[in-house]
Amino acid sequence: MLYQNFFYSPQADALFSDKATIGYMLQFESALAQAQAKHGMIPQACADIIYNNCVIENIDIQLLISQVGLGGNACIPLVKQLTNVVKKQNTEAAGYVHFGATSQDVIDTATILQAKDAIILIQKDLDKVINQLQILSENHQKTLMIGRSFMQQARPITFGYKVDTWIDGLTRAKERIERILQDCFVVQLGGAVGNKSAFGEYGDNISESLATILQLKNSKLSWHTQRDRIVEIASVLGILIGSISKIAKDISLLMQTEIGEVFESSEEGKGGSSTMPHKRNPVACIAILANAQRIPNLVATMLSCMTQDHERATGQWHAEWETFSQIIQLTGGALHQAVNLTNGLEVNILNMSKNMEATNGLIYAESVSLALSKFIGKSEAHQFVEKNCREAVRQGVHLKEYLSSQEIIKKYFSKEVFEKLFL
Amino acid sequence: MLYQNFFYSPQADALFSDKATIGYMLQFESALAQAQAKHGMIPQACADIIYNNCVIENIDIQLLISQVGLGGNACIPLVKQLTNVVKKQNTEAAGYVHFGATSQDVIDTATILQAKDAIILIQKDLDKVINQLQILSENHQKTLMIGRSFMQQARPITFGYKVDTWIDGLTRAKERIERILQDCFVVQLGGAVGNKSAFGEYGDNISESLATILQLKNSKLSWHTQRDRIVEIASVLGILIGSISKIAKDISLLMQTEIGEVFESSEEGKGGSSTMPHKRNPVACIAILANAQRIPNLVATMLSCMTQDHERATGQWHAEWETFSQIIQLTGGALHQAVNLTNGLEVNILNMSKNMEATNGLIYAESVSLALSKFIGKSEAHQFVEKNCREAVRQGVHLKEYLSSQEIIKKYFSKEVFEKLFL
Amino acid sequence: MLYQNFFYSPQADALFSDKATIGYMLQFESALAQAQAKHGMIPQACADIIYNNCVIENIDIQLLISQVGLGGNACIPLVKQLTNVVKKQNTEAAGYVHFGATSQDVIDTATILQAKDAIILIQKDLDKVINQLQILSENHQKTLMIGRSFMQQARPITFGYKVDTWIDGLTRAKERIERILQDCFVVQLGGAVGNKSAFGEYGDNISESLATILQLKNSKLSWHTQRDRIVEIASVLGILIGSISKIAKDISLLMQTEIGEVFESSEEGKGGSSTMPHKRNPVACIAILANAQRIPNLVATMLSCMTQDHERATGQWHAEWETFSQIIQLTGGALHQAVNLTNGLEVNILNMSKNMEATNGLIYAESVSLALSKFIGKSEAHQFVEKNCREAVRQGVHLKEYLSSQEIIKKYFSKEVFEKLFL
Amino acid sequence: MLYQNFFYSPQADALFSDKATIGYMLQFESALAQAQAKHGMIPQACADIIYNNCVIENIDIQLLISQVGLGGNACIPLVKQLTNVVKKQNTEAAGYVHFGATSQDVIDTATILQAKDAIILIQKDLDKVINQLQILSENHQKTLMIGRSFMQQARPITFGYKVDTWIDGLTRAKERIERILQDCFVVQLGGAVGNKSAFGEYGDNISESLATILQLKNSKLSWHTQRDRIVEIASVLGILIGSISKIAKDISLLMQTEIGEVFESSEEGKGGSSTMPHKRNPVACIAILANAQRIPNLVATMLSCMTQDHERATGQWHAEWETFSQIIQLTGGALHQAVNLTNGLEVNILNMSKNMEATNGLIYAESVSLALSKFIGKSEAHQFVEKNCREAVRQGVHLKEYLSSQEIIKKYFSKEVFEKLFL
């Protein structure tokens, strides 16, 4: 995949190869046989033969892919191949492959297993990002910089504060991921119309054992057309990426040539332009921002797919497949880039300080106004400061200098107190 | 609003009128003054004057609306009017209106208050829907109907089971709403760049008291450009509507003239067609399905708005305003319609039973196959049944009748056991 | 509507009031009667009575709104009221109100009439924007500024060139609007199942005459569930807004305090911050960017609504109603703001010039490299320049100054030629 | 790719392999050199060497992929490899590889070339679909079936009419594709900041020649951040898929077991269920509906990406890459399935006829009412028919039979005329 090292995380992506995807489906089939044997639905010996044959080497992946179009999913040709393989060893066991299950049981459970593995990787990357930001925050609790609203200089903040707000969103994202790992990764087992009828009296027990084997949560009812949990996973990732992209947006703005306050770490060959030596392209930011541009609409697709018909949906389920994978993979990629981005951020304190002087002190006008209001009332103070700002601008003088000669200032503020208003 | 009685819930909508919206903003201003007085930031007497004047009657709404364009939000002209009103009573108090706060503090907190009131209404409607469905489920635990996959008849289920799967999704939606009511409804107070600097040493205390007065959760850090919680509210509603729309989809399909298994309650003038007397239009379903078509993409807008710049965002915040309201209002409307829809659903058991005969018994083929596999193995059983199905179809005979004369069936099944396979 | 002067254009919005919307529906009913009379389907006298009564004053709008929920659209209660009014004058004529038409005929045609009027307003605003930009372009064909890629200073352009690229997109948007005004504004007339059967042999003629009266294009086939033309209108507006928002994005970036190259016109009270006197908030940009954040997902809803069932859709049509209006209204608002934005843009040539010096001449490195490559080959030139850039940066010297003392430069360039490389 | 034979068209997909994508980029580089040589910007001999080396065999694709992350696009490592290869033959020529161009010139032009090839395939499939539907329409101009509104039986139509409405949307889609093939497939050539400055005085000529060589349209101005044409391509495909999906929606509904009027062609192994022999899954419909669920939101991403910054966008361009490919590939897949779907559709005239009897004649009530209104006025006629419908339903009698014994019917209609009302 051309952009696998830019929009994606190679490690997370490996979980989504055709081979890996089929592997998750085989996990289901082998666990199902075990669970059924445990509750006496099929002979243990048959289950063992099935178990032993649920290995990717037994599957001709290209053949499988060529047959997906006929039945409309990847499970039908997989079961066909698996059954043939098992049959060569034992005819009876072949009869128990995928016994009583429906394609959606396999595909949904495989998807959940796959998503879980990927999200655990994402979780680790998120932890790294948070840790790296926490160190950054600690180092810059006193680093003054300008706060900006609507991209206009507003009033001073510290860079540590800015980083704290980044961490704040990520911390909640982390809690959301922990919660969905508890709640949303459930096994799917229902059979043709979802009611476990093909499993007879042992349906619930088999489902329970299947969940245990696969280390998933059990779901009392099958969720063939009740997609809220899988959509919740998608939306939690969407929100996470929103918080990540806010950081990338800030840094890409701070990296502007004219601002130059924070930079992605420079690395040999990274982000440079051979013909424009001064450029430091925000490459990691770009990858994150690009993914953040795409994920919200993929989440919308997941939400819109919830309007499913009857016991198995006509297209809405199928639209989920690649969409859900893409959300996870793009999230994985964004986190991977975020780890790089927040590792070795270069903070240019000099430029932060220099930029704060860009308005010749006007960013401190509110401080003066607030301090003065205690003496002469808010409106009076406001009018006084406003008038003096205009005049300072007209004369091209720094506000501090201009105000320091005004009587009203001298009357109410000592030099020390006055100076503090400009910090 | 032309469609207020179709896509919307009048009760929830009332919370979103201009007047109500401004009222929530006034709640913020009055609570802020009280919180500031409590911690000695402003005189209690001034706070009381402000409190007394924070009434909607003091505001010229049309004038306010006409001025929104200048500053780019509704708070600036509101504060201007409020200050003028207070000033007429007390100049000093006027100086403390909106003291140290920024427009976004007011608008975000007002939005949260408004959303909370609306979601509590939605929660009540959701409870009603669940209760109504539970009664329906109890009444139909044994009502057989056909389960359908890809809109094809598959195998029998009970209508009670179908309703149980509907309830299942809604129960989790209910839990999600309870959770966000705990977690996501937080006060916004940060001042110009979010760091509460204008509130001096008492910032955190004032925020805490403000939250208490407004019965919201406090937020240690302001969330001017960290929008995950408000987006989480939006996505939880989006998921809820997904589950509601699944019900509407099912019922609209079941109401098809040729199927006729379940109907929206008929009401004088509702859903009828004057020129087509036989029609029973699924009016409530239509409203729900229409809203469910729109909400996912509104949630996508909320997600995409998270990529915010610096301390206050240039457009992404503003894009949230009407989008967030619309999500809540359309959700409110869908729930309102769902209450009607699930109240008095007409279930036509006769048609359910009749439709199960549409395939001349083929829907029972799997039962026979599974039962037979215990004796002759899965593959043999499958091939036998498949061949006999084809033959039964060719002769136009009911599968039960056709099979009953086959030797292999007679050999392994008593008449009683065989008949049970067709239930 | 709280934000009618911010996100919306009051003039365009007026076309979308409930009253105006109902007025368009009445236009359909009166024109239908006339068209039917012309072809002898109903008596001319009856048509005239209907025509005379199709006035908004005859309609109790609140009553109508209260009944929309029953039948699921606004046409049913409108026809009821209109019929009653006509009946008071003439029973026979009452029988011919809405004769043979279906609700969707009325609502779709009214929507198209409404959209056409609004888009003509949008077209006018677009013309204004283009004209204003053309003047700006002419004035600044030689105004040098830095071009930026990935928000990094890259190489010089002229501001005139930048404006030309803005105009380029808008010119194509203008052509698209002209095209859809020709192609997509078609009358809807089909009756219950769209095949004009209720109009007997005169169906096509009546449709043709109806189109003529309403100054719309005729549609041979009704388009009740073929929505491509209305979605094309939506997507053309979506693309237009994309091009408009690109301008707003650029200007909001250029207005950054640290860059200060271009500003929205200042107006008393507009965009200012009372507490931060130096701020010049990009208010018009914000409104445009906010609308541009919302419209793409509304267009997605329109696209997704195309998957309609049979002869009249179960919800997908209904989801279009408010969505389509919102797209037009938000587009109208964005254009309205764009007219203001591009009228009186302040261009700060001094800052443009100053910012070009921010890299100490590195932005000219490629010019030098290209010029030098003619003499010593591209790779050699590139390496030479790269090395010298690094050194100039290290010493904090302007690239021009640094290079001017290098032998290789002196060898191949006269002073005049060399100086030109830095323009 | 697991689902390449389900959601995708293998033929179209082949154009989007990494190898093919890089091939299109090489096409650009070779054509650029030729165009530059033609206008004397580089020596013809060098251009020829470049031309000869622009072959995919010269590129180590895996190496290229591994380096995409550094510079943030696939062009940088490609040019690096290509330059090295050329250098081995001729140092001077190596200096002219990619001369004056920027990565975006290459990637955008390659994307346009790729899209053009794919859309020509889509166009062919669309022609096939239209042709197949035209034959179907001709065969069924007189095949009566019920028209349905809101999935309720409404009034009769012919199947030919239904197919005509399908063709209607597709015909306009075909015209749109022809138009964009004329207008939107333009070459990209601008250099670092889009103004062709690196090409000196020959910029426009080189661009013109480049376009000629590549059989694309020339673009006077570069469109690095003016994305309307590429988004127009995306939206035209989105609208096409909307019209295709409407057909799939109809057919999937008509295939319902209880309706059974139209079926996808059956093919060995296609759409069947081994355990449910009666099922005929709408496999092609499902693939189309799934793609149609996804494409609208991908188009929204394209629209949202138009808000680009300055001369090269920070992420919005990058988000287009895979999104645009996916739109084309999913459209290609949907068309491929549509060719299969409309080839060999089975029409069950018997069921169409049978279903028309489902309401016991009520679907003809409006015909009677309209006919009767000529004699006794519309209201009277309406009331009469309504009352008699109710009574016919109550007695379980066919409306025709019930009405035939009514005096008022006998008075105004001959037996022949009356019978015709029920056709």
Side-chain angles (χ1 to χ4, degrees), chain B residues 160-192:
Chain B
Y161 167 75
K162 194 179 187 86
V163 176
D164 286 343
T165 66
W166 295 346
I167 295 170
D168 197 38
L170 297 185
T171 304
R172 288 189 294 270
K174 184 177 147 84
E175 290 165 6
R176 277 183 208 103
I177 286 181
E178 282 159 9
R179 195 191 67 232
I180 58 170
L181 281 171
Q182 290 295 325
D183 292 352
C184 298
F185 291 80
V186 291
V187 87
Q188 177 71 281
L189 188 70

Side-chain angles (χ1 to χ4, degrees), chain D residues 185-380:
Chain D
F185 291 80
V186 290
V187 88
Q188 177 72 282
L189 188 70
V193 288
N195 60 357
K196 302 197 179 82
S197 64
F199 306 106
E201 56 192 308
Y202 299 117
D204 290 339
N205 294 335
I206 291 169
S207 175
E208 187 72 48
S209 295
L210 179 63
T212 304
I213 297 169
L214 296 173
Q215 296 184 276
L216 296 176
K217 198 177 162 187
N218 188 28
S219 177
K220 202 172 163 314
L221 288 174
S222 70
W223 46 283
H224 290 153
T225 53
Q226 295 292 336
R227 313 301 290 177
D228 56 296
R229 283 178 291 211
I230 201 167
V231 180
E232 187 173 6
I233 297 171
S235 71
V236 160
L237 296 182
I239 294 172
L240 162 60
I241 279 330
S243 292
I244 293 285
S245 74
K246 190 269 178 285
I247 302 174
K249 179 80 165 275
D250 278 0
I251 293 173
S252 67
L253 287 166
L254 293 170
M255 274 182 80
Q256 287 174 100
T257 312
E258 296 85 355
I259 292 186
E261 299 185 1
V262 177
F263 295 90
E264 292 191 14
S265 73
S266 57
E267 191 182 307
E268 183 61 26
K270 185 194 159 207
S273 167
S274 59
T275 57
M276 294 178 283
H278 55 290
K279 288 194 69 178
R280 289 188 63 176
N281 290 333
V283 175
C285 292
I286 285 173
I288 293 168
L289 290 169
N291 289 9
Q293 197 90 17
R294 297 166 63 186
I295 291 173
N297 295 327
L298 297 172
V299 174
T301 299
M302 292 297 293
L303 281 164
S304 76
C305 284
M306 291 184 72
T307 312
Q308 304 210 341
D309 51 90
H310 294 320
E311 282 58 69
R312 308 276 296 284
T314 316
Q316 291 82 2
W317 174 50
H318 310 77
E320 280 181 8
W321 299 344
E322 295 187 333
T323 306
F324 189 59
S325 300
Q326 283 176 14
I327 291 170
I328 299 174
Q329 289 178 273
L330 290 169
T331 302
L335 260 296
H336 188 68
Q337 290 280 14
V339 170
N340 294 335
L341 175 64
T342 56
N343 180 20
L345 267 186
E346 294 175 24
V347 181
N348 191 321
I349 298 180
L350 208 69
N351 281 345
M352 286 182 174
S353 174
K354 205 179 72 186
N355 287 333
M356 289 181 72
E357 291 307 304
T359 63
N360 247 349
L362 294 182
I363 57 171
Y364 302 101
E366 195 187 10
S367 306
V368 178
S369 186
L370 278 170
L372 197 58
S373 67
K374 292 178 194 158
F375 305 108
I376 63 172
K378 191 180 143 193
S379 320
E380 292 290 310

Side-chain angles (χ1 to χ4, degrees), chain A residues 148-154 255-258 274-281 297 362 366 382 389, chain C residues 148-150 152-154 255-258 274-281 297 362-363 366 382 389:
Chain A
R148 294 168 176 97
S149 70
F150 315 132
M151 297 197 293
Q152 296 287 301
Q153 288 202 359
M255 274 181 81
Q256 286 174 99
T257 311
E258 296 85 356
S274 60
T275 57
M276 294 178 284
H278 55 290
K279 288 195 70 179
R280 289 188 61 177
N281 290 333
N297 295 328
L362 294 181
E366 195 186 10
H382 187 72
C389 282
Chain C
R148 295 167 175 97
S149 72
F150 315 133
Q152 297 287 301
Q153 288 202 359
M255 275 181 80
Q256 287 174 100
T257 311
E258 296 86 354
S274 59
T275 57
M276 295 177 284
H278 55 290
K279 288 193 69 179
R280 289 188 62 175
N281 289 333
N297 294 328
L362 294 182
I363 57 171
E366 196 187 9
H382 187 70
C389 283

Side-chain angles (χ1 to χ4, degrees), chain C residues 15-27:
Chain C
L15 305 172
F16 291 88
S17 69
D18 290 346
K19 194 173 158 182
T21 302
I22 295 166
Y24 286 112
M25 293 167 70
L26 289 170
Q27 269 190 49

Side-chain angles (χ1 to χ4, degrees), chain D residues 86-100:
Chain D
V86 172
K87 201 182 230 166
K88 281 177 196 154
Q89 293 187 14
N90 184 303
T91 313
E92 192 192 2
Y96 294 122
V97 169
H98 187 68
F99 197 48

